[in-house]
Amino acid sequence: MIANAAEIRKFTILSWGWLTIIFGLVWAVSWLVGVAIPLLLANVQADWARLVTEICQVLTPLVAVMVFIPINAMFMVLAERRALALFTVRKGPNRVGPDGFLQTLADALKLLFKEDITPRGADAFMFTLAPIIFFAPSIFGALPLLAAVTNNHNLFQVVNLPTGIFYVLAVSSVPVVGIVMGGWASNNKYSLVGALRSAAQAISYEIPLVLSIITVCLMAGTLDVVKIAEMQKGGLLNWNILGGGALSGLNKYFQALAAGQADAHQMLSQYYPDWGSVIATVVLIACTVLLVGIYLTGACAEINRIPFDLPEAESELVSGYNTEYSGIKFAIFFLAEFTNLFIVSTIATVMFLGGGDCPLPDWLNPLTNPAVTQPVGKFFSFFTDRIHLIDPSTFFPAIWVIIKVYALVFFAILVRGTLPRFRIDQLMAFGWKRLVPLSLIIFVLVTFAKGAVRLHV
Amino acid sequence: MFDWVEQLFRGIWQSIVGLYEIRRGLGTVAMHALRPPTTEVYPDIVPPLPAHFRGRLALTVNPETGEHLCISCRQCERVCPDKCIEITAHKSPETNKLELIDFKIDHGLCMFCGLCTEVCPTYCIINTNDFEMADYTRESLVYDLKKLTLTQEESAYYFDRKENPLPKPKPAKAAPAAQGAAPAAAGKAATAEKPAPAGAGQTAQTKAATEGESAKEAETKSPDAQVAPEAPPKLSNDEGKSDEAKPENESGEGPRQG
């Protein structure tokens, strides 16, 4: 028996409770705005009704994101504190609410009502603008991912872009401007040093980050996140993390074997005709596994998380670029940081971990078996067909996305609990001398290996 | 010529080793999640403190009679390195003995060194196990006699816990000196005899029966020997006169103790 079962159980209950609240709320709000109001107005033959319907449908993604971001950040702060407490053999916040359930809610309320101080000598306009510029990209960056994580639900198709992933990457590089602006406007040398470090670091680590994403796009042949997520459907072997679809032939072969087809071996030789394709597959698998590592490293640096939290190194700079911030502005900085963590985890999920795909292949997955789904579907037909509360083609993928994203977030917390902070010269050397060449080499390797094997068959 | 190849492979090998080390670190940290937390849930569960924990200072009363043990000898005031103790006493013109009027300790100054408790001849001033003294003003950290004096039960608890010798029995000669207070004195003498059997009981628990007798004598004598040079004259003086002025004294001490 695990000695710490009680604390782990508390953490699990807390996480699932918060997740239920977050996604229940987002679900309810998107349903209300995107489905319920248009359904109510469907029989009204008037111009204003059509106008309201249009507005509602366009507003749905925005409302969903706006509801989601603050609650999610609150949960992530609490989860991070509790998980770090687990790793460091402590209890963590456990006073507010049952087992500290409401701790971050109390913190958020406190920050909202705190005095908002602008330091003497600060550029007040820039000082106010900085948190906004830091926070806004996390909303805009989250929008195009909505369609990918909900299996292209028609409520969120509005915000899907054909150049989705590049838009997300472009937008996610804007927060640096906010940090530099805030550090400069604070009239504080620590803030300025933190801000400049952040700029240097973000520029250095954006290159391997973008190169790893480009490589995935190269293998997929598209920039559309929905298409990339759809390509990876059909089980673990189809995911980009394992060869970017090079193993999907193997997946098909296993499926044929399970179905008892006689020509299964022929199928294998069809997908992997020669040794060249086998070598290419192995190379691709090695490359994509490394790519995930590069992506996560770059993302960690991009969002200033430990071990790359030099911009706010507590032991060197007081609190880095947000030293002078207090009250609601600090809350916005905090909110954006955790939202960025969520967004980079979502990008990793969509690009590498198959989006909303179940790790089990289709022929093993009970959720794709009609014998299972039809009776359940009948039971829920009121919700699915009459009021459109549940869309099964979105529901299960969304749950998989949630599990994968929070697993990555948990991994980031584990890394935070383990690794010490880099020194600035080590950081630069690691970024420019290791990660950039490595990602370029992988890019070239993938370019050649991609030609020798069929991907995502 | 092929140095760069060697360097390349060494670099790759070092990277692999480094990744393995990072993975090992992650595993170690993750395994820590399975350990029960070392945190003590303090306000809910107060940790057990040792008897000689130096917490808030307090003045004891005689656990048997409820009489205040302070004899206003000012030794604690003299020894205090912070000068945080302030004793107000006067020699009563009627009884010609020191009478304690007020006893102030500024806990904001006190550094809890425990020197005062060591010099106290009557084991009156002690360090209690209480440490929750947070307050809103500095003034409220100055404790007066009323706040400092413990109740009879608390005194008994601390005397028992710290294994301090119980207060010396009142001198028997004081009883006949005042005929008016004879019943009270008799009662006091009767109660004052109790400490000896109690001490015997304590020692009998730890030692063998035969040894217990001698040990009891040795132990009960040694504190007497320590206290004797300072305390007995004052105590006897105190006792002799207080019996005459008993009614006023009792009524005067009552509210202070309460």
Side-chain angles (χ1 to χ4, degrees):
Chain A
M1 194 58 206
I2 301 164
N4 197 18
E7 287 299 310
I8 292 174
R9 193 178 62 239
K10 277 180 198 169
F11 177 73
T12 318
I13 292 172
L14 182 139
S15 306
W16 286 112
W18 264 101
L19 286 177
T20 315
I21 291 171
I22 295 168
F23 291 100
L25 219 76
V26 172
W27 188 4
V29 166
S30 351
W31 175 76
L32 200 73
V33 178
V35 179
I37 294 175
L39 265 184
L40 280 177
L41 296 176
N43 296 327
V44 182
Q45 299 292 329
D47 281 348
W48 66 266
R50 258 180 289 142
L51 185 69
V52 169
T53 309
E54 286 280 316
I55 289 174
C56 278
Q57 277 170 349
V58 174
L59 274 185
T60 312
L62 198 64
V63 170
V65 168
M66 292 298 273
V67 169
F68 173 73
I69 284 177
I71 324 173
N72 174 57
M74 273 197 272
F75 162 63
M76 276 166 68
V77 174
L78 183 59
E80 172 150 18
R81 290 179 66 185
R82 289 301 291 258
L84 275 179
L86 278 182
F87 295 139
T88 46
V89 205
R90 293 181 285 121
K91 270 183 181 294
N94 61 353
R95 304 302 295 178
V96 188
D99 285 325
F101 197 83
L102 302 174
Q103 176 68 49
T104 40
L105 190 67
D107 287 348
L109 280 179
K110 183 205 76 174
L111 278 177
L112 288 187
F113 290 118
K114 243 178 138 176
E115 191 191 353
D116 188 14
I117 300 167
T118 306
R120 191 170 56 222
D123 186 337
F125 178 69
M126 299 282 248
F127 192 73
T128 315
L129 199 61
I132 299 168
I133 288 185
F134 190 60
F135 178 56
S138 54
I139 298 176
F140 298 136
L143 283 174
L145 294 168
L146 271 175
V149 298
T150 53
N151 197 13
N152 208 10
H153 193 277
N154 52 14
L155 280 181
F156 301 123
Q157 276 171 0
V158 189
V159 287
N160 187 30
L161 298 171
T163 53
I165 193 62
F166 260 32
Y167 172 77
V168 173
L169 288 176
V171 162
S172 72
S173 63
V174 173
V176 184
V177 179
I179 291 180
V180 175
M181 207 182 243
W184 179 258
S186 291
N187 191 26
N188 177 334
K189 50 182 173 279
Y190 297 116
S191 299
L192 185 59
V193 171
L196 292 180
R197 278 184 179 187
S198 170
Q201 172 181 323
I203 289 168
S204 312
Y205 280 76
E206 217 155 61
I207 295 164
L209 177 83
V210 173
L211 274 172
S212 65
I213 295 291
I214 283 181
T215 316
V216 174
C217 294
L218 182 80
M219 287 191 281
T222 175
L223 293 174
D224 191 340
V225 273
V226 173
K227 278 184 190 157
I228 292 174
E230 267 174 7
M231 272 179 193
Q232 303 177 59
K233 270 184 190 164
L236 182 68
L237 293 178
N238 272 354
W239 293 1
N240 276 343
I241 189 175
L242 287 176
L247 286 178
S248 54
L250 199 66
N251 197 26
K252 285 251 165 61
Y253 165 65
F254 283 146
Q255 189 173 357
L257 270 189
Q261 287 178 25
D263 57 345
H265 291 282
Q266 233 176 346
M267 190 178 262
L268 198 62
S269 58
Q270 181 194 340
Y271 290 127
Y272 304 103
D274 48 5
W275 278 107
S277 63
V278 174
I279 292 168
T281 309
V282 173
V283 168
L284 278 176
I285 291 171
C287 286
T288 42
V289 169
L290 277 174
L291 276 182
V292 178
I294 292 171
Y295 174 79
L296 290 179
T297 314
C300 254
E302 180 84 6
I303 60 175
N304 303 328
R305 266 193 80 81
I306 292 171
F308 301 101
D309 69 331
L310 286 148
E312 47 186 310
E314 291 93 357
S315 45
E316 303 159 29
L317 319 167
V318 182
S319 180
Y321 59 89
N322 57 25
T323 305
E324 296 289 353
Y325 282 91
S326 64
I328 192 164
K329 288 175 194 161
F330 178 72
I332 289 173
F333 266 116
F334 218 62
L335 199 70
E337 247 169 58
F338 280 88
T339 311
N340 285 341
L341 173 59
F342 184 84
I343 288 174
V344 295
S345 305
T346 315
I347 295 174
T349 304
V350 171
M351 300 302 286
F352 295 104
L353 300 182
D357 185 40
C358 175
L360 290 174
D362 284 342
W363 44 275
L364 274 176
N365 190 352
L367 292 175
T368 54
N369 190 346
V372 176
T373 49
Q374 271 175 5
V376 177
K378 248 176 223 162
F379 183 75
F380 285 112
S381 65
F382 174 74
F383 298 106
T384 51
D385 299 338
R386 288 292 301 281
I387 62 172
H388 299 283
L389 184 61
I390 303 172
D391 187 348
S393 67
T394 296
F395 184 74
F396 295 109
I399 285 182
W400 277 115
V401 168
I402 291 165
I403 291 171
K404 288 171 189 172
V405 169
Y406 283 102
L408 281 176
V409 169
F410 191 77
F411 179 71
I413 295 169
L414 177 60
V415 169
R416 179 183 170 169
T418 308
L419 297 182
R421 187 180 297 129
F422 271 84
R423 216 170 52 207
I424 187 79
D425 60 321
Q426 290 171 339
L427 177 100
M428 284 296 159
F430 182 63
W432 287 105
K433 291 188 192 165
R434 304 280 188 279
L435 283 186
V436 173
L438 184 64
S439 51
L440 278 170
I441 289 168
I442 288 175
F443 182 75
V444 174
L445 274 179
V446 165
T447 317
F448 286 109
K450 179 178 172 283
V453 67
R454 289 167 66 194
L455 302 175
H456 290 302
V457 286
Chain B
M1 182 178 167
F2 288 109
D3 272 2
W4 67 273
V5 178
E6 197 190 330
Q7 275 180 9
L8 182 70
F9 277 100
R10 189 177 292 144
I12 290 173
W13 175 246
Q14 277 176 355
S15 310
I16 292 169
V17 170
L19 283 174
Y20 171 72
E21 290 296 323
I22 287 177
R23 197 218 64 81
R24 221 159 58 102
L26 289 174
T28 310
V29 172
M31 281 302 115
H32 272 67
L34 304 183
R35 293 191 194 174
T38 52
T39 316
E40 283 173 358
V41 204
Y42 155 62
D44 300 336
I45 301 164
V46 179
L49 294 169
H52 294 283
F53 177 81
R54 296 202 296 258
R56 175 171 63 88
L57 290 169
L59 303 176
T60 51
V61 298
N62 189 333
E64 308 290 342
T65 60
E67 206 177 355
H68 205 284
L69 285 176
C70 182
I71 53 171
S72 314
C73 66
R74 293 174 186 274
Q75 295 218 50
C76 46
E77 194 180 20
R78 203 174 307 130
V79 79
C80 180
D82 292 336
K83 303 291 170 217
C84 67
I85 301 178
E86 188 189 337
I87 297 172
T88 318
H90 73 118
K91 196 162 246 182
S92 169
E94 302 147 17
T95 61
N96 197 29
K97 60 141 195 170
L98 278 171
E99 236 175 34
L100 186 62
I101 295 171
D102 203 357
F103 198 113
K104 277 186 180 163
I105 297 180
D106 188 349
H107 274 107
L109 279 179
C110 179
M111 62 178 184
F112 303 96
C113 61
L115 285 176
C116 49
T117 65
E118 280 174 31
V119 298
C120 186
T122 57
Y123 297 97
C124 175
I125 186 163
I126 56 162
N127 281 115
T128 59
N129 281 1
D130 178 24
F131 54 90
E132 292 159 325
M133 305 163 57
D135 219 322
Y136 289 98
T137 57
R138 287 174 187 278
E139 287 72 32
S140 54
L141 284 173
V142 182
Y143 284 35
D144 62 357
L145 184 66
K146 196 178 167 187
K147 264 177 117 176
L148 283 171
T149 308
L150 297 173
T151 64
Q152 218 165 319
E153 292 80 33
E154 285 168 341
S155 305
Y157 170 74
Y158 282 114
F159 265 101
D160 184 38
R161 210 167 131 66
K162 290 176 183 284
E163 295 172 8
N164 285 345
L166 285 165
K168 212 181 140 227
K170 304 290 172 193
K173 62 173 184 181
Q179 272 96 27
K188 211 171 262 182
T191 51
E193 277 171 3
K194 273 181 189 171
Q202 281 172 6
T203 49
Q205 282 173 2
T206 54
K207 304 206 172 185
T210 50
E211 283 179 21
E213 290 297 315
S214 58
K216 179 200 86 181
E217 286 167 15
E219 280 186 13
T220 46
K221 269 176 193 167
S222 60
D224 285 357
Q226 283 172 6
V227 175
E230 297 158 358
K234 286 176 192 167
L235 270 178
S236 58
N237 193 4
D238 187 298
E239 196 54 48
K241 299 284 158 54
S242 73
D243 280 333
E244 291 174 359
K246 187 153 279 271
E248 300 105 57
N249 227 357
E250 286 286 291
S251 61
E253 272 179 19
R256 270 188 237 152
Q257 282 178 17

